[in-house]
Amino acid sequence: MNTTKNLIFALEPSKAFGSMVAEAIGSTLSAHEERDFSEGEHKIRSLVDVRNKDIFIIYSLFGDPQLTVNDKLCRVLFFIGSLKDAGATTVTVIAPYLCYSRKDKKTKGHDPITAQYVARLFEALGTDRLVTLDVHNVQAFENAFRIPTIHLEAKTYIANYFAPLLKKTETVVLSPDSGGIKRAMAFAETLEKEQNTPIPVAVMHKSRSEGVVGGTAQIFGEVRTKTVIIIDDLISTGTTLLRAAKACKQAGAEKVYAVATHGVFSVTANETLKDTALDKIVITNSIPPQLLSKELMEKKVDTINIAPLIAEGIRNLMEDSVY
């Protein structure tokens, strides 16, 4: 691996996470400047020479109290453009959480397919490759981009977390809706390897219209007297997971874990997730859970560090000379 040919940047507020990734690779973050102007415009540029370099930008595209998701998207796009103008050979964006990936199809007349529009923006600014983690719909993500993409999965890290907790425990992996069955099955298979025992998969019926979850709380699969792991790609309000957890407890489940790679978390999640139907909430550090209360974080939330996974992905790309 030629480290002199590769530079790693991490934009705020992903800098702390980016530093962990760079350290796992055996490197350091390159210096850059982010400057805000009073009227809301901003400037972002590298403070090191990027000519003839392969650049990796680590930036999780989620909204927070300081910057909206649109602010962040605009910043990373401008940064990509500036790097290309400065002579960078390639620019690879590492977006552990990719904004707008949930809006990947038309559900009503004249609906936008925003995931595709975001892809076009990255392509227009000269992005050579985009890497993300546990995107909402893998096939839609891959189809949206005309540049090479890589989809990483945190399921092995999550399975490693649960392995010591589930010894001699009957476990069921549950998808909170039919759209997540493939994700649940893939995680169950990974967990089976860790547990060396078959892990059944269940699914709950869910429908959504105008952002409101409906339908009967019906579980397809046996959860009575079992430990249930409800797995999803992200948690926002927590309503879907709580609804599934309550249905599991009513069906006789002994313990219910809610697991998601991305803790997007809205403010209302603090009230939703404190419900006793959820015994534990497990997320990764792809997004810092800034809106969750300290009390909830200490009592119910465990965080899995996926910086080594991102580091491995970048290291593999650095060793790959074909772009």
Side-chain angles (χ1 to χ4, degrees):
M1 180 172 60
N2 184 2
T3 55
T4 61
K5 191 176 182 292
N6 301 283
L7 297 178
I8 304 172
F9 293 89
L11 308 189
E12 296 290 355
S14 294
K15 200 168 183 179
F17 178 76
S19 294
M20 289 191 290
V21 173
E23 184 179 355
I25 295 172
S27 182
T28 57
L29 295 178
S30 295
H32 75 283
E33 175 190 34
E34 296 183 48
R35 183 178 175 189
D36 296 321
F37 298 97
S38 57
E39 72 279 14
E41 295 182 2
H42 54 81
K43 181 179 76 171
I44 181 168
R45 67 186 180 109
S46 169
L47 295 177
V48 299
D49 183 14
V50 299
R51 184 169 297 278
N52 300 323
K53 304 287 188 180
D54 291 320
I55 309 299
F56 297 85
I57 305 171
I58 300 170
Y59 202 33
S60 215
L61 293 168
F62 60 95
D64 62 41
Q66 287 73 46
L67 295 172
T68 69
V69 64
N70 298 320
D71 289 330
K72 291 182 178 181
L73 181 59
C74 194
R75 285 171 187 248
V76 73
L77 291 170
F78 287 175
F79 192 42
I80 294 164
S82 71
L83 293 170
K84 283 291 189 171
D85 287 345
T89 302
T90 63
V91 175
T92 299
V93 175
I94 315 291
Y97 179 74
L98 181 61
C99 62
Y100 293 109
S101 61
R102 283 177 280 181
K103 190 53 183 168
D104 55 26
K105 62 180 179 293
K106 291 180 180 289
T107 54
K108 292 180 173 60
H110 311 297
D111 254 7
I113 309 177
T114 320
Q116 289 187 7
Y117 308 155
V118 170
R120 298 296 169 267
L121 290 171
F122 277 110
E123 292 162 4
L125 270 295
T127 309
D128 294 278
R129 191 192 304 264
L130 189 136
V131 181
T132 192
L133 172 70
D134 283 338
V135 77
H136 185 66
N137 183 321
V138 179
Q139 186 175 15
F141 160 69
E142 292 173 342
N143 290 337
F145 284 86
R146 294 173 293 193
I147 58 174
T149 58
I150 294 176
H151 181 255
L152 301 176
E153 297 179 336
K155 60 185 180 182
T156 299
Y157 284 73
I158 298 172
N160 289 340
Y161 165 89
F162 277 105
L165 300 177
L166 301 178
K167 290 181 178 179
K168 299 180 181 179
T169 300
E170 285 191 272
T171 306
V172 175
V173 173
L174 183 138
S175 173
D177 54 46
S178 59
I181 291 177
K182 286 186 178 180
R183 180 183 300 108
M185 291 178 66
F187 176 66
E189 290 175 2
T190 304
L191 194 58
E192 283 178 358
K193 294 176 183 177
E194 293 289 336
Q195 296 291 92
N196 197 29
T197 185
I199 304 292
V201 174
V203 62
M204 195 185 80
H205 173 71
K206 182 189 83 170
S207 61
R208 183 187 295 272
S209 180
E210 304 291 342
V212 178
V213 175
T216 57
Q218 184 177 3
I219 296 174
F220 297 92
E222 181 58 62
V223 299
R224 185 176 301 277
T225 71
K226 294 178 172 57
T227 295
V228 180
I229 302 175
I230 307 171
I231 189 159
D232 213 341
D233 60 312
L234 61 87
I235 305 175
S236 180
T237 63
T239 304
T240 295
L241 291 173
L242 177 59
R243 184 170 175 268
K246 285 183 174 180
C248 288
K249 286 291 179 73
Q250 289 171 2
E254 288 198 358
K255 187 172 286 190
V256 177
Y257 292 88
V259 184
T261 301
H262 309 293
V264 180
F265 296 127
S266 65
V267 175
T268 58
N270 283 292
E271 187 65 26
T272 304
L273 297 177
K274 72 179 183 181
D275 194 287
T276 56
L278 286 166
D279 294 284
K280 181 72 74 172
I281 301 149
V282 182
I283 56 173
T284 77
N285 58 346
S286 65
I287 297 175
Q290 298 176 340
L291 296 180
L292 286 191
S293 67
K294 182 179 179 181
E295 180 183 10
L296 186 63
M297 285 295 299
E298 290 176 348
K299 288 185 176 180
K300 296 189 72 170
V301 180
D302 282 352
T303 303
I304 299 169
N305 179 23
I306 46 86
L309 173 62
I310 303 298
E312 181 183 2
I314 294 175
R315 189 184 298 109
N316 290 339
L317 291 176
M318 287 180 173
E319 293 171 350
D320 183 2
S321 60
V322 179
Y323 279 87

